[in-house]
Amino acid sequence: MHATPEMELMLKGYGLTTAEILYHMPDHPHFLQSYVWQEYDIAPKFPVLFKFLEFWRSKLDGPLHSVSYTHRRLIAPNEWRNVKGELLLH
């Protein structure tokens, strides 16, 4: 897996997704613990979030209770311009 710069991800349509994950503590199943996860992802399918949740279900002991999320596209391809020149004012 290689790292992709955030600007390149944003130009490809990714936005910042933040999820609050409530899960049952393995040793005390009646208590809920909160975990905040944040990553660049594509709405509305959220493949990165669902991949993380699948990892959680298969590898971690704390069963999921609920997931609430928010998503914000920070930049769209039509909002970015490549500037070729610069004008300096004294």
Side-chain angles (χ1 to χ4, degrees), residues 7-80:
M7 181 61 125
E8 187 177 330
L9 287 173
M10 287 185 264
L11 291 173
K12 289 180 178 178
Y14 283 74
L16 192 60
T17 302
T18 304
E20 181 184 21
I21 300 167
L22 292 178
Y23 63 97
H24 296 277
M25 295 181 65
D27 296 338
H28 304 284
H30 297 293
F31 290 108
L32 291 176
Q33 182 74 27
S34 176
Y35 179 78
V36 176
W37 176 88
Q38 195 171 48
E39 190 65 57
Y40 288 97
D41 207 351
I42 297 178
K45 295 191 179 198
F46 299 105
V48 179
L49 175 59
F50 284 117
K51 182 178 178 182
F52 176 75
L53 293 176
E54 187 56 39
F55 164 79
W56 185 295
R57 286 186 195 110
S58 66
K59 303 290 184 190
L60 301 180
D61 290 335
L64 294 174
H65 175 271
S66 61
V67 177
S68 56
Y69 66 91
T70 184
H71 177 79
R72 173 77 175 145
R73 285 187 67 180
L74 302 175
I75 189 171
N78 60 351
E79 296 173 347
W80 183 80

